[in-house]
Amino acid sequence: MLQVHELHFRYKNTAVLTDVRIELNKGEILSIVGPNGAGKTTLLKCIVRIFKPDAGRVLINGIETGNMRRIDLAKCVGYVPQSSPSKFPIAVFDAVLMGRRPYVTWKPSKKDLQIVADLLKVMGLEEFALRDFDQLSGGQKQKVLLARAFAQDTDILLLDEPTSNLDLKHQLEVMEMISRMVKEKGAGAILAVHDLNLASRFSDTIVMLNAGKIFCKGRPRDVMTAENIRAVYGVEVTINQDNGTPYILPIRTVEQAEVISD
Amino acid sequence: MQDICEQYKGLAGRKLCFIIVFVALLLGMSLVALSLGASSLGFRESFAALFDDSGTAHAIVWKLRLPRIIMAILVGCGLGFAGTVFQAILKNPLASPYTLGIASGAGFGAVIAIVFCAGFHTQYLVAGSAFFFALVSSFLILGISRLKGCTTETMILAGIAIMFLFSALSSLLQYMGTMEQVHEIVFWFFGSLSKVGWKEIALAAVMVCLPCPILIRLSWDLNLLSAGDESAKALGVNVERIRITGIVLASLITAGVICFTGVIGFIGLVAPHITRMIIGGDHRFLLPASGLVGGAVVLTADTVGRTLWSPQVIPVGIVTSFIGVPFFLYLLMKKRKEYW
């Protein structure tokens, strides 16, 4: 349902993304991994047209996003940023209600309010509904942003490091929520992730980016090999296969390994 | 536990109540203000004089007191409203109708009219010139941000630069002007409601009342801006367009009121904050409510200013700050510590 064709993006004079091709199918979770600065976030932002790609096309169900109105695109693609700055106080309920913006011009309907209320309940945010967003913990904030994207009711979800600031339990909770929502709705999700183990466990496809180019892509166990990780991250790892899910254990950086072998 | 939906609706209902109560309060304050003044005209007499079209009481009420009251409310409403819009689109709590150099633009316009048309300048010439230059400064900002991208930082920094430019130009003209001219200029900068008649009120009312509904319609988008430009874009908001529309309309409101009254600075900064502390940040309620709070504060200030040392009248711009600052600081201290 989502295709990225030969996408190029330059920031000033530096190529950030070069010839990126991705395909996302219904019911699929695709994770983008890669070192800092590889272009993960930029790729997500190009898909949702926060950035305008210099060349290449992004197609959603065959329609090119460049030709869509922003509000129509917002009905197809939801985006969860890494963090959300909040300059002015805002209630959690209102923060989630913003997800209904593509469907509401002025007054949210009963249905909109009900959707938000149900989401807050499901995600265990009920008791914070009328609290200030800024007073929440990192994990709760992340859930609120996720709830906002769910409220947007899109078939495609883009998530920028949804688990980066979370403790172990919240990480799993958030990933399980995304996974459930994708499977139940037949939606598709693209995640930018740092945690290779979390990515391997929850994704159907992994795309490994290095310096703006796709280094390799495929099923987790084909992508997560010691050679690939060594080449892209410069880190030596050992990989245990646990029921077909690769488990990555970092050993040392390649530089350190060379010092030792000298 | 009570249904969240009901709770949320209850909260929205309370916000609406606040607005309705404040409208009533403002009407009540106007009646009180109507009965206060240099001439000893009591509550009943002034109220009766409203409808009795003969005698001095009628003249005092209709020519002196009522225009001041209505203009005070208009100015307060306009500046409170515009201030909320500027804070939302610039995402900056320090933003006010004057942040983009609008006040110094208007000031420069007034100074030009006073100095160069010495002797034959009318009030309208001063007002027209102030209005024109207020808009010039906001269009300069828009031009700069079109070239450089509509980020809040560009706009604020460009605004401050423009502000200094116009202040310097005003100072230069004052330096060249005569004593009487300088006196008039200084008086203009105080902000005053003394020279306001019905024609000015009609013009200012148009400038305030036309843009407001459009801005209220955009309140959802203004709400979304506070979630960050990127989130707002991903939720379907055309961020650049909102920012430009907001600035143009809010500048029109600001220019429309201050060109007649001079600089009444503090209210546009503070009315939005006071209101936000009371009813929260949802612009659907915040916009009209800040207008009402602004109107109430300026009306109070003007009424105090003309009764305190009556028949001496203290310019409203000065009293506004004297009343607004302590009230604002009180709220700031009382409110939980992390307001931002």
Side-chain angles (χ1 to χ4, degrees):
Chain A
M1 59 174 142
L2 176 88
Q3 281 126 2
V4 177
H5 281 302
E6 297 161 33
L7 191 87
H8 293 259
F9 181 80
R10 305 176 73 80
Y11 183 72
K12 297 205 170 130
N13 283 319
T14 328
V16 183
L17 294 172
T18 319
D19 196 20
V20 173
R21 300 157 200 238
I22 288 180
E23 192 160 338
L24 177 74
N25 298 312
K26 261 184 194 297
E28 197 180 63
I29 294 183
L30 184 150
S31 289
I32 305 169
V33 300
N36 288 333
K40 302 186 291 289
T41 301
T42 310
L43 177 55
L44 293 184
K45 287 183 182 173
C46 280
I47 296 175
V48 71
R49 290 206 81 83
I50 290 171
F51 293 158
K52 196 166 165 274
D54 293 309
R57 297 186 302 160
V58 178
L59 300 175
I60 293 172
N61 299 324
I63 304 171
E64 198 174 331
T65 54
N67 299 331
M68 292 169 90
R69 289 192 307 152
R70 232 179 227 303
I71 189 139
D72 295 324
L73 184 61
K75 290 174 186 167
C76 302
V77 183
Y79 170 72
V80 180
Q82 251 182 69
S83 62
S84 182
S86 178
K87 283 281 167 77
F88 298 104
I90 176 170
V92 168
F93 195 99
D94 282 323
V96 178
L97 191 60
M98 285 179 179
R100 300 301 298 163
R101 161 64 175 68
Y103 308 94
V104 183
T105 45
W106 162 245
K107 193 180 184 317
S109 68
K110 232 182 169 139
K111 187 185 143 213
D112 295 315
L113 298 182
Q114 197 56 52
I115 289 173
V116 173
D118 291 344
L119 275 170
L120 289 174
K121 210 170 199 171
V122 170
M123 304 186 77
L125 294 166
E126 211 173 5
E127 55 179 308
F128 311 110
L130 300 181
R131 280 238 208 115
D132 211 20
F133 177 76
D134 275 336
Q135 292 177 325
L136 303 184
S137 72
Q140 289 159 346
K141 278 185 187 169
Q142 193 65 42
K143 280 192 191 170
V144 171
L145 294 182
L146 201 61
R148 176 192 291 166
F150 286 167
Q152 211 177 329
D153 195 20
T154 56
D155 284 338
I156 298 165
L157 211 53
L158 309 178
L159 302 113
D160 195 356
E161 291 180 24
T163 57
S164 54
N165 292 318
L166 308 186
D167 65 34
L168 217 48
K169 186 174 177 212
H170 279 107
Q171 284 187 9
L172 285 176
E173 268 183 4
V174 164
M175 290 306 288
E176 280 163 3
M177 274 174 199
I178 296 166
S179 183
R180 204 181 315 133
M181 133 97 184
V182 166
K183 305 297 174 217
E184 276 172 10
K185 261 194 69 182
I190 301 183
L191 284 68
V193 201
H194 267 309
D195 187 329
L196 299 181
N197 289 319
L198 218 52
S200 308
R201 195 163 146 197
F202 283 94
S203 333
D204 303 291
T205 310
I206 290 188
V207 172
M208 199 178 265
L209 272 186
N210 190 21
K213 295 186 190 119
I214 293 185
F215 183 80
C216 61
K217 61 181 166 186
R219 284 177 302 171
R221 74 179 113 145
D222 301 329
V223 172
M224 293 298 176
T225 61
E227 299 78 58
N228 286 345
I229 293 172
R230 188 189 156 92
V232 169
Y233 286 89
V235 172
E236 290 198 338
V237 299
T238 54
I239 297 193
N240 300 323
Q241 292 285 346
D242 171 31
N243 298 334
T245 306
Y247 183 80
I248 297 113
L249 191 67
I251 312 278
R252 57 177 95 80
T253 60
V254 172
E255 289 85 357
Q256 184 64 32
E258 279 160 3
V259 171
I260 293 169
S261 65
D262 280 346
Chain B
M1 191 171 140
Q2 202 192 352
D3 186 21
I4 320 171
C5 249
E6 293 307 316
Q7 280 185 39
Y8 181 75
K9 275 188 209 149
L11 198 65
R14 281 204 291 283
K15 290 175 185 172
L16 198 62
C17 261
F18 175 84
I19 293 178
I20 295 168
V21 167
F22 228 89
V23 171
L25 191 70
L26 205 51
L27 278 176
M29 285 167 70
S30 309
L31 284 181
V32 173
L34 200 62
S35 63
L36 296 170
S39 50
S40 56
L41 215 54
F43 192 80
R44 278 208 197 118
E45 290 142 299
S46 16
F47 192 68
L50 263 183
F51 304 103
D52 163 35
D53 53 0
S54 60
T56 38
H58 182 80
I60 288 173
V61 168
W62 278 92
K63 289 225 171 96
L64 293 176
R65 291 186 188 170
L66 202 55
R68 276 193 89 107
I69 291 169
I70 293 178
M71 195 62 180
I73 295 175
L74 264 180
V75 172
C77 279
L79 294 180
F81 204 95
T84 314
V85 174
F86 279 115
Q87 288 176 6
I89 51 185
L90 297 176
K91 286 189 287 184
N92 191 316
L94 295 176
S96 81
Y98 301 147
T99 310
L100 298 181
I102 297 174
S104 32
F108 175 65
V111 171
I112 280 193
I114 293 170
V115 171
F116 286 117
C117 307
F120 62 91
H121 67 263
T122 63
Q123 204 194 333
Y124 286 105
L125 190 66
V126 176
S129 174
F131 182 78
F132 177 75
F133 278 98
L135 291 189
V136 164
S137 62
S138 79
F139 280 104
L140 274 177
I141 310 297
L142 282 177
I144 293 169
S145 46
R146 273 209 93 88
L147 294 177
K148 194 73 184 76
C150 280
T151 64
T152 54
E153 292 82 4
T154 318
M155 286 183 159
I156 291 172
L157 288 176
I160 289 173
I162 299 285
M163 185 185 86
F164 276 108
L165 174 69
F166 278 126
S167 307
L169 286 171
S170 300
S171 305
L172 182 68
L173 289 183
Q174 283 185 60
Y175 183 69
M176 288 156 41
T178 63
M179 273 306 274
E180 296 87 68
Q181 287 166 352
V182 171
H183 183 259
E184 201 175 339
I185 291 167
V186 168
F187 197 77
W188 195 90
F189 275 100
F190 283 158
S192 153
L193 295 169
S194 338
K195 291 183 191 162
V196 174
W198 289 104
K199 269 186 209 149
E200 288 88 341
I201 289 178
L203 288 171
V206 169
M207 298 312 295
V208 174
C209 295
L210 286 186
C212 283
I214 307 174
L215 286 166
I216 290 180
R217 249 200 102 68
L218 295 177
S219 5
W220 261 65
D221 290 355
L222 293 177
N223 286 348
L224 268 109
L225 283 184
S226 72
D229 283 10
E230 294 182 344
S231 294
K233 280 184 189 172
L235 287 164
V237 178
N238 190 332
V239 173
E240 280 85 15
R241 201 172 62 200
I242 285 290
R243 212 157 259 158
I244 291 171
T245 319
I247 286 193
V248 169
L249 294 180
S251 304
L252 275 176
I253 297 178
T254 312
V257 293
I258 64 172
C259 69
F260 294 119
T261 62
V263 181
I264 304 179
F266 190 60
I267 196 65
L269 175 72
V270 163
H273 286 299
I274 293 175
T275 320
R276 205 179 281 112
M277 287 178 201
I278 301 172
I279 68 164
D282 185 345
H283 285 87
R284 285 176 301 156
F285 302 104
L286 180 60
L287 281 175
S290 322
L292 292 172
V293 169
V297 175
V298 175
L299 178 59
T300 312
D302 186 51
T303 310
V304 170
R306 69 195 168 84
T307 45
L308 199 60
W309 280 312
S310 153
Q312 267 295 339
V313 175
I314 313 168
V316 65
I318 299 172
V319 191
T320 303
S321 298
F322 279 148
I323 291 183
V325 172
F327 183 52
F328 179 62
L329 287 180
Y330 161 74
L331 280 177
L332 194 66
M333 305 305 274
K334 200 177 143 236
K335 198 70 185 173
R336 57 162 206 277
K337 53 185 186 299
E338 281 179 71
Y339 178 49
W340 294 118

